[in-house]
Amino acid sequence: MNAITQAVTRGTFSLDGQTFDVENNVWIVGDDKEVVIIDAPHDVDTILKAVDGRSVRAIICTHAHDDHVRVAPELSDRTGAPIWLHPDDEEVWDLTHPDRHWDKDLAEGQQISVGGIDLWVIHTPGHSPGAVCLYASDLGTLFSGDTLFKGGPGATGRSFSDEDVILDSIRRKLFALPEETVVHTGHGDSTTIGAEVDALGR
């Protein structure tokens, strides 16, 4: 089985009184025995089908917008895996799950190991205060959540977001990675660091 499995779920994103239909990428990283799940949008059964019976070590939320954490509690209940989130996203998390806290805090520079793969946490505020990316250097891959997409940065036009902050996060932290790094995003197509350096400039 590949080290990276992708699932796509469909549902809605709601913030600031508006709701939009969205498709979300879910990235499952590990080996034949154990995995972590990156983000928990919309549909537990679709995610578990992609897990394919493997042990789930953690549910890692790249940020707390409802389309990335909506089914995290149910997914945790069904797998026994803890939910990880950066604490700077507490206010955003509480909009969706005011009666349940996540289990473990993510932090800059933290290492999470699963199936012989090391994931490094990069705190990239801007899309939300606690947004993070996960870098797997051995795989040459970055899981960028909604911080960086094919064609540029994630949206910053809503509550809890800041355009100057996200651009600083991208240029200072993500553009320091090798340009050949594959970027697996929270929505849409994958890209590379080099392509986004060319599009956005350093």
Side-chain angles (χ1 to χ4, degrees), residues 2 5 10 37 44 50 52 54 62 84-85 107 111 114 117 123 125 139 147 166 168 177 184 191 193:
N2 292 332
T5 305
R10 294 165 180 82
I37 299 170
V44 170
D52 195 22
R54 291 173 286 178
T62 60
W84 293 69
L85 180 74
Q111 178 183 345
V114 61
I117 298 165
H123 182 209
L139 302 178
T147 294
I166 199 172
D168 177 69
L177 300 175
H184 288 323
T191 183
I193 290 294

Side-chain angles (χ1 to χ4, degrees), residues 4-196:
I4 302 170
T5 305
Q6 180 185 11
V8 178
T9 67
R10 294 165 180 82
T12 60
F13 162 62
S14 298
L15 188 65
D16 296 338
Q18 293 183 293
T19 297
F20 305 90
D21 293 326
V22 289
E23 288 189 353
N24 286 63
N25 295 321
V26 181
W27 300 101
I28 298 160
V29 183
D31 62 11
D32 290 346
K33 296 180 179 179
E34 62 177 15
V35 297
V36 297
I37 299 170
I38 301 173
D39 288 330
H42 313 311
D43 182 356
V44 170
D45 288 337
T46 295
I47 297 169
L48 290 180
K49 183 177 180 181
V51 169
D52 195 22
R54 291 173 286 178
S55 174
V56 180
R57 292 278 306 279
I59 300 157
I60 305 173
C61 301
T62 60
H63 61 294
H65 284 155
D66 66 347
D67 61 321
H68 290 256
V69 302
R70 182 173 291 119
V71 300
E74 182 185 352
L75 190 58
S76 176
D77 290 345
R78 290 178 61 176
T79 62
I83 302 165
W84 293 69
L85 180 74
H86 195 287
D88 286 358
D89 255 15
E90 181 172 10
E91 281 190 87
V92 187
W93 171 272
D94 287 346
L95 294 174
T96 305
H97 299 299
D99 299 323
R100 176 156 173 178
H101 204 266
W102 65 93
D103 301 298
K104 296 186 178 184
D105 289 347
L106 296 170
E108 171 75 23
Q110 179 180 0
Q111 178 183 345
I112 300 170
S113 299
V114 61
I117 298 165
D118 295 328
L119 294 168
W120 297 90
V121 177
I122 305 173
H123 182 209
T124 51
H127 184 66
S128 69
V132 302
C133 299
L134 300 162
Y135 178 50
S137 58
D138 290 343
L139 302 178
T141 300
L142 179 78
F143 301 93
S144 65
D146 287 4
T147 294
L148 182 63
F149 291 120
K150 183 176 183 179
T156 55
R158 302 189 182 280
S159 296
F160 308 106
S161 64
D162 188 296
E163 182 179 10
D164 291 338
V165 172
I166 199 172
L167 289 172
D168 177 69
S169 292
I170 291 168
R171 289 192 168 113
R172 187 164 50 87
K173 295 185 176 182
L174 301 188
F175 285 0
L177 300 175
E179 291 198 357
E180 64 270 18
T181 301
V182 175
V183 180
H184 288 323
T185 62
H187 306 270
D189 295 334
S190 298
T191 183
T192 66
I193 290 294
E196 300 317 312

